[in-house]
Amino acid sequence: MELQAIREIVDTHRHRPGAMLPILHEIQHVCGYIPDESVAIVADGLNVSRAEVYGVITFYTDFRTEPPGRSIIQVCRGEACQAKGGCELEQHAQQSLGIEFHQTTTDNAVTLEPVFCLGNCACSPSVRVGDDVYGRVDAELFDELVAEAKAASGARS
Amino acid sequence: MTVKVFVPGDTTAVSVGADRVAAQIAARAKSAGQDVTLVRNGSRGMFWLEPLVEVETSAGRVAYGPVKPSDVASLFATNFLSGGSHALRLGPIEEIPYLKNQERLTFQRVGLIDPLSLEDYAAQGGWVGLHQAIRREPAQIVAAVKESGLRGRGGAAFPTGIKWQTVLDTPADQKYIVCNADEGDSGTFADRMLMEGDPYCLIEGMIIAGIAVGATLGYIYLRSEYPRCWTTLNEAIRRCQAAGWLGDNVAVSGRAFHLEVRLGAGSYICGEETALLESLEGKRGEVRAKPPLPAHVGLFGKPTIVNNVITLASVPLILARGGKFYADFGQGRSRGTLTLQLSGNIQRPGLIEKAFGLTLHELLYEYGGGSASGRPLRAVQAGGPLGAYVPAHDFDLALDYEAFAQRGAMIGHGGIVAFDESVDMRRMARFAMEFCAEESCGKCTPCRIGSVRGVEVIDRIAQGEDRDANIVLLESLCDTMQHGSLCAMGGMTPFPVQSALKHFPEDFER
C-alpha cells in the first residue's frame, strides 16, 4: 500500500527538474516519514544511486527516517527567542515532556524538535505545533499547547 | 453599507491570536446583524500592537490594538465599526508615529491591501514597473537598477545591477531567476512579511528580472518554516497565471515567464546562494566553490540571478519611479531604504523601513522604546547569527553598509536583536559556534571541525581551564575559520564570537 503510494509519487514528479526534494517532501507528507524502502524507489525513478538519495535524506533536518509522534512540536532556539527567555522555555519543554530534543514521548503523543528561527522573532519566544506558530510562549502556554495537541491527536487516532 | 475590518493574517499576528479575534468579529457582526467585510491583510509591522485591528471609516482607517478575543464584545459595544472610542483605540493608523515616520517604498502595500487581491494590487500601483519594463530594452532595465544603487538585501550587499548585467551579458539557451526566500537568520522576518502581505510585488520583481536578462523560468526557494508563505505564494502564482501575468505571454508582451515555489527542508546553509542552487537541483545543500559565479554557471549550469526577496520586491518601484527616485534615499554607497527588523528584548519590536543613515540609537530608543524588561540594553546582534554583537557604546553607529563594516559589524539582512544586561555573552559566543556546528554543510574543514572545536574551547574557558591560553586559542581558531572557510557560514561565525570577546571580556572571566 505504502510502497504503491511512493511509486506513484516518484512517477508524478520524476520528470520535473530537481525533483528530489519535492518527491521526498511528498513521501514524508503521505507517510509521516521517509521509509527505508523509498530510497531504492526514488533512486530508480531519478536514475541516481541509492547513496545519493540517502545522502540527501540525511542532509536535511526536515526529513525523518522514523515515524514521529502524533504531534510535532518545535521550539525556536534563535537568538531573538533567547533574548526573551527562549532558553528557559527550551528547558521547560524538555523537562515537562520528560524527553530531550529529537525524541518522542513514550505514549507517542509528541515529538520535540529544536528549530532555528520561525521568523516570528518580534513576538518571541516562539513554538510551532504542526503548521501553527505561537508567539510570546511561556511555560504555562507551552503546557496548554501540549494538552491541546494531545487532545486533538487523541481525537484523531 | 458594509464596513471593512482588517485583521492581519500574518504569521506573527496569528501567532498571538489574530485568527481567534477575526472569528469573534465575524460572529459578533453576524449576531448583531451588521454587514462586515473581513479582510485578512498583512501586518503593518507594529508587533507589540498585534493583533491590530483596523476599521475603514469615512475619516480613514482607524486602528485598535492589541485586541484579545475577549475585547471584541466591548469593541462592538463602543461602536468601533464607526471608529468609536475605546481603551484600545490607537487612532488613525497612518498617524501612529512608528509608522508615520517610516519611508515605506518596498513595503508600501504591506498591511494596506488584501494580499491576494489582484484588484487591490493594481489599484495601489502594482504592475506599473512591469509595464515600464516591457516597453524598454533589457539594457535599459538593467541601467535603471544600476542607477538605483540597489544592493542585495539578503546580506551580502552586492550591487544588484552588476549581477543582472553579468547574466544579461552571458549568452545561453536558458537562464533562470531564483529568489532566495530561505530567510534563516534569527531576528529577520521581512521576507516573510512581504511574501504574506504583498506576494504580487515579489512576483512582479521576478518577472521584470526575467525580462531584463532573458530568463523565462523562475524559482522561489522557500524555507519550510514558513507554511503560510507556501500557501500564499502558490495561490498568488495560480491567480497570476489565470490573469495572464505569468505564462507564455506575460501581459500580452510576447515574453514568457514561468514561476514555481520550491520548498527547502530545514537547512540554514541553503540560504547561501550556491548551496541553495544545489538544493534546488535536488542535491545535498553543500556550497560550491566560486568562481564560477552563479551569474555565469548557476542553476543546472545556466546563468542565474539569485536575489533575495526584498531585493526583487524593490525592483517594481525602481522601474515605476525611476532609478534616481530610489537612489535619492540613503547615503554614501548605501542607497534606497533598508527594511529593518527589530526584535529580542525590546518594547516595540517590528518592521521599520527607513532610508539608510538612521542610527542604532534612534532605532532602538525612538522606534523600539528601549528594552522590554526595563533594564538597560547591553548589546544588539546585527545581521543574524553570523553578525557581530554591537555594544551599547557603539549605538551611535549609522545604519549604512560601510559604516558598519568599518567597525567590524554588518547589517546583513537588517535584523537587529536586542539584549538587556542579563545577557551572558560567553553563552552567546558558544551558541554561535554551536549553531555553526549544527548547520555547517560539512564541505570545508575550518567550518565543519572548527565550529565543534570552538564549542569545546569556550566550554574550557567557562570551566576556568587554562583561561588565558584558551582565549588565545579561540582567537586563533576564529582567524582560521574566517580566512579558511569556503563561504560565509564558517567565514563569519567568528564575528559574533570575536565581538563578544572584544567588547565583553568580563563575561569570559567568570
Side-chain angles (χ1 to χ4, degrees), chain B residues 1-160:
Chain B
M1 203 188 83
T2 186
V3 182
K4 263 193 184 175
V5 176
F6 298 80
V7 183
D10 170 275
T11 293
T12 296
V14 172
S15 86
V16 291
D19 279 354
R20 281 177 289 136
V21 170
Q24 276 289 324
I25 290 174
R28 281 266 159 193
K30 199 175 171 198
S31 64
Q34 273 166 314
D35 186 7
V36 165
T37 306
L38 257 184
V39 178
R40 303 306 302 272
N41 56 336
S43 173
R44 298 281 191 163
M46 297 184 284
F47 287 111
W48 76 100
L49 296 174
E50 293 287 1
L52 183 140
V53 176
E54 291 172 55
V55 181
E56 195 167 74
T57 72
S58 52
R61 276 158 72 161
V62 177
Y64 297 83
V67 178
K68 293 194 294 292
S70 55
D71 296 322
V72 172
S74 67
L75 281 170
F76 272 87
T78 52
N79 206 12
F80 89 120
L81 290 178
S82 347
S85 64
H86 186 279
L88 297 176
R89 190 180 190 273
L90 301 162
I93 183 89
E94 291 179 355
E95 293 302 316
I96 298 174
Y98 198 92
L99 198 58
K100 191 180 181 181
N101 296 336
Q102 296 191 29
E103 289 150 305
R104 289 209 166 182
L105 303 182
T106 309
F107 272 69
Q108 56 179 325
R109 279 176 297 264
V110 175
L112 190 66
I113 60 167
D114 176 348
L116 283 168
S117 161
L118 280 164
E119 293 75 31
D120 277 14
Y121 185 66
Q124 295 294 333
W127 310 119
V128 176
L130 176 61
H131 284 301
Q132 288 288 339
I134 288 170
R135 281 198 287 272
R136 295 189 199 176
E137 291 299 315
Q140 291 175 306
I141 304 173
V142 174
V145 175
K146 278 186 188 163
E147 189 191 12
S148 74
L150 179 66
R151 292 164 71 180
R153 296 285 188 257
F158 187 82
T160 307

Side-chain angles (χ1 to χ4, degrees), chain B residues 143 259 335:
Chain B
L259 184 57
R335 311 310 311 184

Side-chain angles (χ1 to χ4, degrees), chain A residues 38-153:
Chain A
S38 28
V39 174
I41 303 172
V42 175
D44 193 44
L46 295 182
N47 197 24
V48 296
S49 71
R50 276 180 284 173
E52 229 165 301
V53 179
Y54 185 75
V56 171
I57 293 171
T58 51
F59 181 86
Y60 295 96
T61 22
D62 278 6
F63 298 134
R64 51 183 83 249
T65 51
E66 301 283 336
R70 290 188 295 276
S71 300
I72 298 170
I73 300 186
Q74 293 180 318
V75 180
C76 183
R77 295 198 61 206
E79 287 90 339
C81 285
Q82 293 187 38
K84 292 290 292 288
C87 297
E88 291 73 21
L89 184 66
E90 283 173 44
Q91 277 174 6
H92 173 79
Q94 299 181 72
Q95 272 164 13
S96 63
L97 291 169
I99 51 173
E100 290 176 13
F101 279 135
H102 306 296
Q103 293 181 343
T104 301
T105 52
T106 46
D107 60 357
N108 207 35
V110 174
T111 296
L112 187 66
E113 299 282 359
V115 63
F116 290 107
C117 199
L118 293 166
N120 203 46
C121 321
C123 288
S124 61
S126 305
V127 163
R128 176 174 169 182
V129 185
D131 269 351
D132 296 321
V133 176
Y134 298 87
R136 299 176 194 147
V137 180
D138 54 14
E140 191 187 342
L141 178 55
F142 181 84
D143 294 344
E144 275 174 39
L145 294 174
V146 170
E148 273 173 32
K150 283 187 174 176
S153 67

Side-chain angles (χ1 to χ4, degrees), chain A residues 16-18 20-21 25 55 59-62 77 79-80 82-84 87 116-117 119-122 128 133 135-136, chain B residues 12 15 47 186-187 189 192 223-225 260 262 264-266 279 282-285 349 381 427 431 434-435 439:
Chain A
R16 294 168 71 186
M20 180 82 85
L21 263 66
H25 269 302
F59 181 86
Y60 295 96
T61 22
D62 278 6
R77 295 198 61 206
E79 287 90 339
Q82 293 187 38
K84 292 290 292 288
C87 297
F116 290 107
C117 199
N120 203 46
C121 321
R128 176 174 169 182
V133 176
R136 299 176 194 147
Chain B
T12 296
S15 86
F47 287 111
S186 168
F189 42 83
R192 180 185 62 65
R223 65 198 301 256
S224 61
E225 289 83 351
E260 196 184 315
R262 285 289 176 92
S279 184
K283 302 172 193 158
R284 292 163 67 89
Q381 186 176 32
R427 187 158 101 171
F431 179 78
E434 187 191 351
F435 179 71
E439 296 295 338

Side-chain angles (χ1 to χ4, degrees), chain B residues 55-405:
Chain B
V55 181
E56 195 167 74
T57 72
S58 52
R61 276 158 72 161
V62 177
Y64 297 83
V67 178
K68 293 194 294 292
S70 55
D71 296 322
V72 172
S74 67
L75 281 170
F76 272 87
T78 52
N79 206 12
F80 89 120
L81 290 178
S82 347
S85 64
H86 186 279
L88 297 176
R89 190 180 190 273
L90 301 162
I93 183 89
E94 291 179 355
E95 293 302 316
I96 298 174
Y98 198 92
L99 198 58
K100 191 180 181 181
N101 296 336
Q102 296 191 29
E103 289 150 305
R104 289 209 166 182
L105 303 182
T106 309
F107 272 69
Q108 56 179 325
R109 279 176 297 264
V110 175
L112 190 66
I113 60 167
D114 176 348
L116 283 168
S117 161
L118 280 164
E119 293 75 31
D120 277 14
Y121 185 66
Q124 295 294 333
W127 310 119
V128 176
L130 176 61
H131 284 301
Q132 288 288 339
I134 288 170
R135 281 198 287 272
R136 295 189 199 176
E137 291 299 315
Q140 291 175 306
I141 304 173
V142 174
V145 175
K146 278 186 188 163
E147 189 191 12
S148 74
L150 179 66
R151 292 164 71 180
R153 296 285 188 257
F158 187 82
T160 307
I162 307 276
K163 191 182 272 186
W164 287 26
Q165 183 75 56
T166 312
V167 177
L168 173 63
D169 292 342
T170 309
D173 55 351
Q174 177 70 59
K175 298 179 187 180
Y176 296 100
I177 308 298
V178 172
C179 170
N180 185 343
D182 194 48
E183 185 179 49
D185 288 352
S186 168
T188 63
F189 42 83
D191 295 354
R192 180 185 62 65
M193 280 181 69
L194 189 116
M195 290 186 282
E196 290 177 0
D198 193 11
Y200 298 128
C201 182
L202 170 62
I203 293 173
E204 185 181 352
M206 291 186 74
I207 302 171
I208 294 171
I211 291 175
V213 302
T216 53
L217 198 49
Y219 289 98
I220 300 171
Y221 185 88
L222 177 73
R223 65 198 301 256
S224 61
E225 289 83 351
Y226 286 179
R228 266 174 199 266
C229 290
W230 171 255
T231 315
T232 305
L233 287 172
N234 277 305
E235 178 60 19
I237 289 173
R238 197 190 62 74
R239 292 188 191 194
C240 281
Q241 286 164 341
W245 297 108
L246 287 170
D248 289 327
N249 187 10
V250 170
V252 212
S253 64
R255 312 308 161 88
F257 194 74
H258 300 269
L259 184 57
E260 196 184 315
V261 194
R262 285 289 176 92
L263 207 53
S267 162
Y268 175 78
I269 195 61
C270 289
E272 195 282 335
E273 61 175 2
T274 62
L276 186 156
L277 294 175
E278 290 287 299
S279 184
L280 264 181
E281 291 182 7
K283 302 172 193 158
R284 292 163 67 89
E286 289 180 0
V287 301
R288 299 175 182 171
K290 287 193 274 194
L293 297 169
H296 291 130
V297 182
L299 186 63
F300 302 115
K302 303 292 183 185
T304 304
I305 287 181
V306 186
N307 276 152
N308 164 258
V309 173
I310 302 299
T311 313
L312 287 162
S314 300
V315 166
L317 178 104
I318 289 169
L319 267 290
R321 305 287 296 267
K324 186 175 178 304
F325 171 81
Y326 190 78
D328 281 345
F329 292 84
Q331 60 178 39
R333 288 179 53 219
S334 302
R335 311 310 311 184
T337 56
L338 178 61
T339 46
L340 290 152
Q341 302 124 81
L342 190 54
S343 69
N345 199 326
I346 197 88
Q347 244 188 65
R348 296 194 292 263
L351 182 117
I352 298 130
E353 182 173 359
K354 273 298 265 187
F356 284 90
L358 189 75
T359 66
L360 268 178
H361 193 276
E362 288 167 321
L363 177 71
L364 292 167
Y365 293 95
E366 286 173 29
Y367 284 92
S371 75
S373 63
R375 289 188 290 264
L377 288 176
R378 188 170 183 222
V380 299
Q381 186 176 32
L386 310 178
Y389 285 95
V390 179
H393 63 77
D394 271 347
F395 286 174
D396 62 317
L397 201 50
L399 288 148
D400 169 302
Y401 291 125
E402 277 66 42
F404 260 59

